[in-house]
Amino acid sequence: MTNKISLKSTTSAWRPRVSFWITLALWILLLIPLLFVGGFAAWLVMFALFLILTALYSLLFGRPSWLGLPHRKGAGGAIAGGVAALVAGALMVPAAPIDANAVQPLAAVQAPASSSATPSASSTPSASSTPSPSPTPQYVLLDTCTLDGKSVTQGTANYVCTLDNKGGLVWMTEKDSKALIAGRVETKKLADEKVVAEKASAEQAAASEQAAAAEAAASEQAAAAAAEAARVASEQATVAEAARVAAEQAAAAEAAHIAAQQVPQPQAPAAGGYYNNCAEARAAGVAPMTQGQPGYRPGLDRDKDGIACDK
């Protein structure tokens, strides 16, 4: 009867206990601050270590841990899961970047020169020693170099002789050298763009000033031209008025002259005051003539009224 009860208890389905839910809640609450400090990878590593320790307790002592593992088989599965989580968390932790500025420059390491052979104390001359090969130079980060752009490979690292920001040639990793050169090119590009923008702005301001000066000069010239045109028009009007008055005066004088020429001039009376007819008397300007005046005669007074050559 006891074996049946024990077998039933070992094969029963696993049900989470209250301690399981409390532990899970605590780990979820711990996840929130770790996301801002160390990230999910750090939380996963810590959780994996906790899972492995609690599962080891159940596996060694055969008792349920805080997670409520019912038997050792479940504890073994929890340990395997904890190890997998630990490996995954370790792979997710980012590698710390190497600060090239923190590396202190070191002198190139060279192999010590081989010591000269000491002559043997015996009378037999010793064979000449074989000269040792030349040591391979070792390149160290931020150590000085002489040829800008020279690239060497040492082990798995590539070093490039690069001009640093202080004006000296030093060995840098290929990545740092490219980043420094790219930043320097970008800085020069921005400086060139700034110079071009400032030049364009100055040219635009100068063009605006020239346009304003030209517009002002054109306005002054237009005003001067308008004033000159008004003066010329006034002078022309004055001259025209004077010419008109002179023309009217000349026309009046000409008309008066013509009229004066058309007025019959009185002729001197004929000799003895005798006129053959009234036409001669009229031409002489003496008609009509009354009786007693020179040139009157009864032959010219047809109506015998005492007036000769009357109408």
Side-chain angles (χ1 to χ4, degrees):
M1 186 68 178
T2 304
N3 293 334
K4 290 183 180 181
I5 295 174
S6 176
L7 180 63
K8 183 178 179 180
S9 60
T10 55
T11 57
S12 60
W14 175 76
R15 294 181 181 180
R17 298 182 178 181
V18 177
S19 61
F20 171 82
W21 295 113
I22 295 175
T23 305
L24 181 62
L26 290 176
W27 276 105
I28 293 176
L29 292 176
L30 185 61
L31 174 62
I32 297 175
L34 284 178
L35 287 177
F36 295 97
V37 178
F40 179 75
W43 178 87
L44 186 60
V45 170
M46 293 179 63
F47 179 76
L49 293 175
F50 171 78
L51 182 61
I52 292 172
L53 292 176
T54 55
L56 281 175
Y57 175 81
S58 299
L59 182 64
L60 295 176
F61 298 101
R63 298 178 181 179
S65 64
W66 290 350
L67 298 179
L69 299 175
H71 42 68
R72 294 182 175 179
K73 183 178 181 181
I79 292 175
V83 172
L86 181 62
V87 173
L91 293 176
M92 292 172 62
V93 174
I98 299 176
D99 188 3
N101 296 326
V103 180
Q104 298 297 327
L106 301 176
V109 179
Q110 297 182 352
S114 60
S115 58
S116 59
T118 305
S120 176
S122 62
S123 59
T124 305
S126 61
S128 61
S129 60
T130 305
S132 60
S134 300
T136 303
Q138 301 294 321
Y139 302 96
V140 182
L141 284 177
L142 300 182
D143 196 7
T144 58
C145 54
T146 57
L147 184 59
D148 188 13
K150 181 180 179 181
S151 178
V152 296
T153 301
Q154 181 172 283
T156 59
N158 294 328
Y159 298 101
V160 180
C161 185
T162 308
L163 184 67
D164 62 4
N165 293 329
K166 297 180 180 179
L169 292 173
V170 296
W171 291 110
M172 293 185 180
T173 62
E174 186 176 4
K175 180 180 179 181
D176 293 339
S177 176
K178 290 182 178 180
L180 180 62
I181 294 174
R184 193 173 295 161
V185 170
E186 183 67 19
T187 302
K188 186 177 183 302
K189 179 182 177 182
L190 294 177
D192 294 342
E193 290 178 353
K194 182 179 180 180
V195 171
V196 171
E198 290 178 352
K199 182 179 179 181
S201 178
E203 291 178 352
Q204 185 177 2
S208 300
E209 291 179 358
Q210 292 178 358
E215 185 177 357
S219 299
E220 292 179 358
Q221 291 178 358
E228 182 65 17
R231 185 186 65 80
V232 172
S234 178
E235 292 180 355
Q236 290 178 353
T238 302
V239 172
E241 181 65 19
R244 185 185 65 79
V245 173
E248 290 180 355
Q249 292 176 354
E254 183 67 19
H257 179 68
I258 294 173
Q261 289 180 351
Q262 292 178 353
V263 174
Q265 299 296 328
Q267 298 181 0
Y274 180 83
Y275 298 98
N276 292 323
N277 49 42
C278 287
E280 291 181 0
R282 291 192 183 93
V286 295
M289 299 171 290
T290 60
Q291 190 176 3
Q293 289 182 347
Y296 176 81
R297 61 187 180 86
L300 299 176
D301 186 8
R302 297 181 178 182
D303 54 2
K304 307 301 182 183
D305 58 354
I307 300 172
C309 296
D310 57 349
K311 295 181 180 181

